[in-house]
Amino acid sequence: MQHAIGRMKQLNGETLGQLQYRACIRQLQEALFAVVLAHARCANAAKGNVVVKGMPTPVIDGHTTIGKDNIFFPFAAIGQLTQDLKYKNEPTYLIIGDRNTFRENCTIHRSTQPDTPTTIGDDNLFLCYSHVAHDCVIGNHCIFSNNAALAGHVEVEDHVIVSGLSGVHQFCRVGAHSIIGGFTKVVKDVPPFTIADGNPAVIRGVNQIGLQRRGFANEDVSFLRRAYKRVFLKKERNLSEVIAELKEADCATNEHVQHLISFIEASERGITR
């Protein structure tokens, strides 16, 4: 009996020690969290709006504005100084929207110029080691897989997936509802609603599965497939002539086809075909 009582005391002592250890870790997290917030300007600087997952905490630096309910995992580097050699020590900015998740070791850099802040929209997911360089503009509901990297001044529209170990050249644009395959090298604009893959990237088809998952009507997908055949299956044809013909086609009345046409016409680097 005495042995059993002694054993219970020992167990209780171990449990108490564990509780004390956890309490110490929580206090340390609170202190580090205060340091994190001190380096960032939050839309609502409350713990419920900036969630830090695990130890050690991420680093949030510079003129960084953070919206609501963003989650930061260990070693994420947010708002760090641009790597652009043209940077002249001006105050530059990073603006982050709501409900984004930044996993371990991802890096999001501030802009090079004060008037072109790096901008992250809402509901995006940045997986481990993904990178967003200076002056990029990211839309909403995008996924950047492990080691996906954007060079400077890249624009990404909504509902884009950039797969692992893919890179996007500076000043490129990536259209809405497109997907970039793994290990892909993007050097020209990726049109919306498409699948880009390869080194260098080529357009493989319409992102039909992705569009269906996001609730696109069958008629919309059909119109986009008809537009795709005109623009991308005969790559030797002059693009301006193809677009002119597409504008006269029946499918050109569809709003998504119109977005595709507008995106192509606005391209400065040329489009991936």
Side-chain angles (χ1 to χ4, degrees):
M1 184 66 178
Q2 290 178 348
H3 175 74
I5 293 173
R7 182 59 179 165
M8 288 177 64
K9 289 181 178 178
Q10 183 180 3
L11 288 173
N12 288 337
E14 290 175 351
T15 302
L16 179 60
Q18 291 171 353
L19 291 173
Q20 290 173 337
Y21 173 77
R22 293 194 188 98
C24 180
I25 290 297
R26 283 197 298 269
Q27 290 175 358
L28 181 58
Q29 285 180 314
E30 294 288 346
L32 289 174
F33 183 78
V35 174
V36 168
L37 290 185
H39 282 80
R41 295 188 301 206
C42 300
N44 188 347
K47 188 172 181 180
N49 293 316
V50 181
V51 180
V52 177
K53 291 285 190 179
M55 291 285 289
T57 60
V59 176
I60 304 177
D61 200 5
H63 295 277
T64 298
T65 301
I66 302 174
K68 296 181 179 179
D69 302 319
N70 291 282
I71 301 175
F72 299 90
F73 279 76
F75 300 107
I78 310 299
Q80 297 299 307
L81 192 65
T82 174
Q83 298 178 116
D84 191 344
L85 297 178
K86 299 189 299 296
Y87 178 64
K88 301 300 182 183
N89 296 315
E90 326 68 332
T92 55
Y93 304 93
L94 166 63
I95 300 173
I96 297 174
D98 302 334
R99 299 176 302 280
N100 298 286
T101 299
F102 302 90
R103 294 303 305 253
E104 300 86 343
N105 295 288
C106 71
T107 52
I108 315 291
H109 287 176
R110 303 197 308 270
S111 58
T112 299
Q113 301 292 333
D115 56 343
T116 56
T118 304
T119 304
I120 309 294
D122 302 332
D123 301 292
N124 298 294
L125 173 59
F126 300 87
L127 296 185
C128 299
Y129 294 96
S130 57
H131 174 66
V132 176
H134 59 90
D135 302 277
C136 287
V137 178
I138 311 298
N140 306 315
H141 301 283
C142 297
I143 299 174
F144 298 85
S145 297
N146 297 51
N147 294 98
L150 305 182
H153 303 276
V154 170
E155 297 181 15
V156 179
E157 295 184 343
D158 297 343
H159 293 282
V160 169
I161 297 175
V162 183
S163 300
L165 295 162
S166 295
V168 182
H169 192 280
Q170 61 193 32
F171 292 101
C172 284
R173 300 180 302 145
V174 183
H177 299 280
S178 62
I179 179 170
I180 297 173
F183 294 90
T184 295
K185 173 186 174 183
V186 175
V187 295
K188 294 183 178 180
D189 295 349
V190 175
F193 315 111
T194 63
I195 300 171
D197 188 63
N199 183 2
V202 295
I203 299 302
R204 304 290 185 178
V206 173
N207 185 19
Q208 182 169 337
I209 300 299
L211 298 178
Q212 291 172 343
R213 287 174 176 172
R214 293 180 194 118
F216 276 61
N218 291 334
E219 183 181 38
D220 292 331
V221 176
S222 176
F223 281 139
L224 286 168
R225 288 174 59 86
R226 288 160 61 183
Y228 166 82
K229 291 178 181 179
R230 288 177 175 269
V231 176
F232 299 103
L233 290 188
K234 296 181 179 180
K235 300 179 182 180
E236 71 280 357
R237 292 195 59 194
N238 179 275
L239 184 59
S240 298
E241 295 177 358
V242 171
I243 294 300
E245 292 179 5
L246 179 58
K247 289 180 176 179
E248 300 298 324
D250 292 341
C251 61
T253 59
N254 181 270
E255 62 175 321
H256 303 300
V257 175
Q258 291 173 0
H259 178 55
L260 174 64
I261 293 172
S262 299
F263 184 94
I264 293 172
E265 290 183 322
S267 177
E268 296 180 0
R269 289 191 57 83
I271 67 163
T272 303
R273 293 180 76 184

